[in-house]
Amino acid sequence: MRQYLREYIIMAWRSIRSTLLRTILTIVIIAVGITALVAILTAIDVLKISLTESFSSMGVNTFSIRNRGMGIRIGSGGERPKQFESITYDEAMAFKERFGFPADISVTTRGTGSATIKYRDKKSNPNNSVLGVDEAYLATSGYELAAGRNFTQQEVNLGYPSVIIGREIASFFFGSASKALDQNIKIASGTYRIIGVLKEKGTSVGMNNDRVCMIPIQNVRQQYGRPDMNFVIQVKAASIEMMEAAIGEATGLFRIIRGVQRGEEDSFEIFKSDSLANVLIEKIAWMGLVGTIIGIITLMGAAIGLMNIMLVAVTERTREIGIRKALGATRRAIMWQFLIETIVICQLGGIAGIVFGTIVGNLVALVMHVGAVLPVLWMTLGLIMCMITGLLAGLIPALKASRLPPIEALRVE
């Protein structure tokens, strides 16, 4: 078999060139299916990398205490997250003061997600987030400064009109981070002096981290205060090894602060910085199944089309088959000739689909500022699926060709 394989491939290539138009159409159909499969699965890999990087940037030794769970709903599926009473400012500050474990602790709250920023006669769109933070927030959240400085404890406690802005805001108003320092901008009804500009961080979980304004937590309480205002506590343990012990200490202390009785369920949620990423990754896993189904359905259509093409090819080449049999070709040789021809067509479509699918998937990586991804596993899966498609599509035409009586085949004009 091996000694004839090269000859079969050459004959298959000649046959493909002789029916170029219909072969190209079949290759395109196959390529579309493989493109959909590889592109969707590559995009999922990119999303996983992006989510992991976004949340792990906070640090693997960081966790937060919140008033709601991480239940995430996509469409109508999933479970509703657990919702508890808001964590008050007094509760959050009590935790910060009483937590004796070696760790950095910050308290933060969200003012608004639709703030308009003004600088002189220039105004931004109402799509900026305002966060109330303390002096430890940068250390616990994974943000870094591109220029300027962090808040001092005095600025936070006294509610100084100081602000740290995202990179996109600095670029929009001032062109660069250094030019933004010491400038005064207006956020809602307050005027704030820029003391720092954050490094570019991109978007994660629907929030643009480069369009954020951080102001002292006291200012947010005054400017955006509301009865149900909720606060989040973030804790960064001194080391990864101390993480579980820190979580245990934090749980016990906050149960006391919240007045949770022995035997009762916690009235708050604690989760690590990468926990939400893991939940989201699990939720988008179904997209891989969708991509695979789309690819299989498209390949089934391509297989039917390819089978028809090969049946037509058998009819057109009946005399050629008769001559080959008259010269000594066996039924097995004829069968393998047509099988390899269908496999070659499928592999050409598969290669084209893999190339386009990888490009599309990496366009998603480019948009999400993630490094290029080479989906070796999905590329291999695509080629295997094309091989199976070729075998299934070519089996009936190959058997038909191999069973043609040589005398009858030679009589065909």
Side-chain angles (χ1 to χ4, degrees):
M1 176 61 191
R2 291 182 179 178
Q3 60 184 347
Y4 298 117
L5 184 61
R6 182 171 178 272
E7 180 184 344
Y8 291 152
I9 293 174
I10 292 172
M11 293 176 65
W13 182 248
R14 287 174 181 169
S15 176
I16 289 169
R17 292 178 61 185
S18 65
T19 57
L20 196 58
L21 180 59
R22 64 190 181 195
T23 301
I24 288 176
L25 291 175
T26 307
I27 289 173
V28 168
I29 296 173
I30 295 170
V32 168
I34 298 300
T35 298
L37 175 67
V38 175
I40 291 174
L41 296 177
T42 304
I44 290 173
D45 285 346
V46 169
L47 287 171
K48 289 179 180 178
I49 294 171
S50 178
L51 286 168
T52 302
E53 288 181 352
S54 295
F55 288 95
S56 64
S57 65
M58 293 172 60
V60 292
N61 55 333
T62 303
F63 63 92
S64 61
I65 304 175
R66 301 170 182 264
N67 74 318
R68 59 182 299 155
M70 291 193 308
I72 297 172
R73 306 187 74 192
I74 298 178
S76 58
E79 297 180 358
R80 291 184 179 275
K82 293 180 180 179
Q83 184 80 38
F84 304 105
E85 289 185 10
S86 298
I87 297 174
T88 66
Y89 176 75
D90 291 338
E91 289 173 337
M93 295 309 295
F95 178 88
K96 185 174 181 179
E97 292 170 5
R98 295 167 59 181
F99 191 63
F101 206 84
D104 292 322
I105 305 167
S106 70
V107 176
T108 181
T109 187
R110 184 179 177 87
T112 180
S114 56
T116 299
I117 302 170
K118 297 179 182 178
Y119 173 71
R120 295 179 180 174
D121 59 346
K122 197 171 184 180
K123 185 170 70 172
S124 72
N125 292 323
N127 57 359
N128 303 284
S129 299
V130 176
L131 297 180
V133 304
D134 58 15
E135 71 282 356
Y137 182 68
L138 293 184
T140 61
S141 64
Y143 282 99
E144 295 181 34
L145 289 171
R149 63 175 178 83
N150 189 16
F151 295 109
T152 64
Q153 188 173 358
Q154 185 180 23
E155 284 176 320
V156 174
N157 292 339
L158 299 179
Y160 276 31
S162 304
V163 62
I164 298 174
I165 61 174
R167 188 59 180 267
E168 190 172 320
I169 298 173
S171 299
F172 177 76
F173 285 109
F174 310 104
S176 66
S178 58
K179 291 180 180 178
L181 297 178
D182 294 322
Q183 300 295 332
N184 292 319
I185 59 174
K186 193 169 184 179
I187 305 172
S189 60
T191 301
Y192 296 86
R193 183 172 65 90
I194 300 171
I195 63 169
V197 178
L198 300 168
K199 286 185 178 180
E200 185 176 356
K201 197 173 183 182
T203 302
S204 62
V205 199
M207 177 178 173
N208 190 323
N209 296 295
D210 298 323
R211 288 201 304 264
V212 64
C213 296
M214 298 179 184
I215 62 178
I217 195 167
Q218 299 292 0
N219 299 64
V220 170
R221 292 181 68 203
Q222 294 169 9
Q223 193 165 333
Y224 299 97
R226 49 193 180 272
D228 60 341
M229 198 165 196
N230 182 60
F231 294 81
V232 175
I233 303 167
Q234 291 190 174
V235 182
K236 184 176 183 180
S239 65
I240 300 174
E241 291 75 18
M242 301 174 70
M243 182 72 164
E244 295 304 321
I247 291 176
E249 289 284 337
T251 303
L253 174 59
F254 208 59
R255 281 178 63 90
I256 295 172
I257 292 172
R258 296 275 276 186
V260 180
Q261 300 299 316
R262 181 179 296 180
E264 291 182 358
E265 183 183 2
D266 292 342
S267 61
F268 54 90
E269 284 286 330
I270 292 183
F271 60 88
K272 294 181 284 188
S273 58
D274 59 347
S275 297
L276 184 55
N278 294 332
V279 172
L280 288 169
I281 288 170
E282 290 177 6
K283 294 294 182 180
I284 63 174
W286 63 271
M287 294 174 62
L289 178 61
V290 172
T292 304
I293 292 172
I294 291 173
I296 290 173
I297 291 173
T298 308
L299 285 176
M300 286 175 60
I304 294 171
L306 182 57
M307 184 186 299
N308 289 330
I309 287 175
M310 296 309 298
L311 286 171
V312 171
V314 171
T315 302
E316 291 177 344
R317 293 157 60 187
T318 301
R319 187 172 180 82
E320 173 196 330
I321 294 168
I323 293 172
R324 291 201 67 212
K325 282 195 170 185
L327 293 174
T330 63
R331 291 177 59 180
R332 184 178 179 183
I334 298 296
M335 183 184 71
W336 274 110
Q337 176 188 344
F338 281 87
L339 269 179
I340 289 174
E341 190 171 321
T342 56
I343 291 171
V344 168
I345 293 173
C346 282
Q347 291 302 319
L348 289 173
I351 292 169
I354 286 170
V355 171
F356 287 115
T358 304
I359 291 172
V360 172
N362 279 282
L363 286 176
V364 178
L366 184 64
V367 170
M368 302 190 72
H369 304 288
V370 177
V373 175
L374 187 64
V376 178
L377 176 62
W378 310 131
M379 293 165 67
T380 305
L381 177 63
L383 290 177
I384 291 173
M385 290 178 68
C386 286
M387 176 72 75
I388 295 172
T389 302
L391 287 171
L392 294 176
L395 187 59
I396 293 176
L399 288 173
K400 180 180 178 182
S402 67
R403 291 170 180 171
L404 285 175
I407 301 301
E408 297 296 328
L410 286 170
R411 289 176 179 173
V412 174
E413 293 294 336

